[in-house]
Amino acid sequence: MSIPSARDDATTTGRRRGALVGTGIAVACAVACSLPLIAAGGVVAGVGAFLAGGEVVALGVVALVGALVGTALWLRRRRAAQVAAASSTGCGCGGGC
């Protein structure tokens, strides 16, 4: 049984820290990108419910807006994946680099 050297510990700690930082950046990016869509969906659903009046109609408007936002996100991801696949850079940024 060998004792790990200080260099092995520093490399492992650095990788762990890098993974945590990368995960934090990915979560922050996802939140920042989704906030405008969530806000817009809430505003549209609220206005629709106000104009239509009634709980059943309000729930229907919320469901419809949710479906529209979900479809828009799906299309956006799909198009970005197609652009990234067609890009010859191989960086995975969708051709924006």
Side-chain angles (χ1 to χ4, degrees), residues 1-93:
M1 177 151 103
S2 66
I3 300 173
S5 68
R7 181 180 173 133
D8 292 338
D9 290 340
T11 304
T12 304
T13 303
R15 287 183 187 157
R16 205 174 294 142
R17 186 176 302 138
L20 289 174
V21 169
T23 302
I25 290 171
V27 168
C29 180
V31 168
C33 289
S34 65
L35 284 178
L37 294 173
I38 292 170
V43 168
V44 170
V47 169
F50 174 74
L51 293 176
E55 292 178 19
V56 176
V57 175
L59 289 175
V61 169
V62 169
L64 178 66
V65 169
L68 289 174
V69 169
T71 303
L73 287 173
W74 177 76
L75 286 172
R76 184 177 178 182
R77 288 183 189 147
R78 185 172 169 225
R79 288 179 185 157
Q82 287 175 347
V83 169
S87 176
S88 61
T89 61
C91 67
C93 65

